[in-house]
Amino acid sequence: MEHFTIATVAEKSPDFRRVLWTGEHTQLVIMTIPPGGEIGEEVHEDIDQILTFVSGTGEARVAGEKREVVSGDLVVVPAGTRHNFVNTGPNPLVLYTVYGPPEHADQAVHRTKEEADAAEEAGEDEPPTS
C-alpha cells in the first residue's frame, strides 16, 4: 500500500516537479511553482490531468479560459486541452496532480522548471512503457 499525507508531502517539497508514484494507468506528481513562475503552456494529447492546489494563489489557463486558483481548488484538464498554471502570488504555488496515463519518468525529480524542460528536450523524462 502506498499512503501519503499529500498536502504535507507537497508542502515540504521545494522541487518544481517530483513524481511520487507511478502505476500502470496513472501517476501522482507534486509541484512547487515559485512566485512569478508557471508550468508553461502545454497540451497532453492522450493524457487527462487533475490538479489539486494545496497552497498559494495562481491562475488556471485552460482552453482559453482563465480562473483564479487557491488552496482546496481542483482543476480538470481533459486530454488534448491547451493549459498553463501561473503563480500570481508572493508565495510558492503548491499542488499535486494525477496524470492518466503517466506523463513523466518514474521517480523523476526536477528541482527547477529549467531542469524539467531540459530533461524533456533530452528525452530523459519519458513515462515507463508497459
Side-chain angles (χ1 to χ4, degrees), residues 17-72:
R17 180 168 52 223
R18 178 179 291 270
V19 175
L20 288 184
W21 179 84
T22 301
E24 185 176 345
H25 303 288
T26 57
Q27 184 174 63
L28 175 62
V29 176
I30 55 177
M31 297 187 74
T32 300
I33 304 167
E38 63 183 73
I39 289 176
E41 189 172 89
E42 59 188 359
V43 175
H44 306 298
E45 291 299 337
D46 300 315
I47 299 171
D48 293 322
Q49 187 175 5
I50 299 170
L51 302 94
T52 303
F53 295 85
V54 174
S55 65
T57 57
E59 183 177 78
R61 300 175 182 174
V62 179
E65 293 184 47
K66 295 180 182 179
R67 184 162 299 168
E68 180 184 19
V69 290
V70 297
S71 176

Side-chain angles (χ1 to χ4, degrees), residues 2-120:
E2 295 287 339
H3 176 270
F4 301 98
T5 305
I6 193 65
T8 303
V9 172
E11 279 282 338
K12 289 182 178 180
S13 175
D15 301 313
F16 175 74
R17 180 168 52 223
R18 178 179 291 270
V19 175
L20 288 184
W21 179 84
T22 301
E24 185 176 345
H25 303 288
T26 57
Q27 184 174 63
L28 175 62
V29 176
I30 55 177
M31 297 187 74
T32 300
I33 304 167
E38 63 183 73
I39 289 176
E41 189 172 89
E42 59 188 359
V43 175
H44 306 298
E45 291 299 337
D46 300 315
I47 299 171
D48 293 322
Q49 187 175 5
I50 299 170
L51 302 94
T52 303
F53 295 85
V54 174
S55 65
T57 57
E59 183 177 78
R61 300 175 182 174
V62 179
E65 293 184 47
K66 295 180 182 179
R67 184 162 299 168
E68 180 184 19
V69 290
V70 297
S71 176
D73 285 351
L74 182 145
V75 177
V76 175
V77 180
T81 304
R82 183 168 304 284
H83 60 281
N84 191 7
F85 295 88
V86 179
N87 184 339
T88 58
N91 300 311
L93 179 61
V94 179
L95 63 106
Y96 61 92
T97 183
V98 176
Y99 293 97
E103 166 70 1
H104 300 288
D106 189 28
Q107 308 276 323
V109 176
H110 301 118
R111 301 199 190 299
T112 65
K113 180 176 182 343
E114 294 75 22
E115 188 177 303
D117 290 345
E120 287 178 17

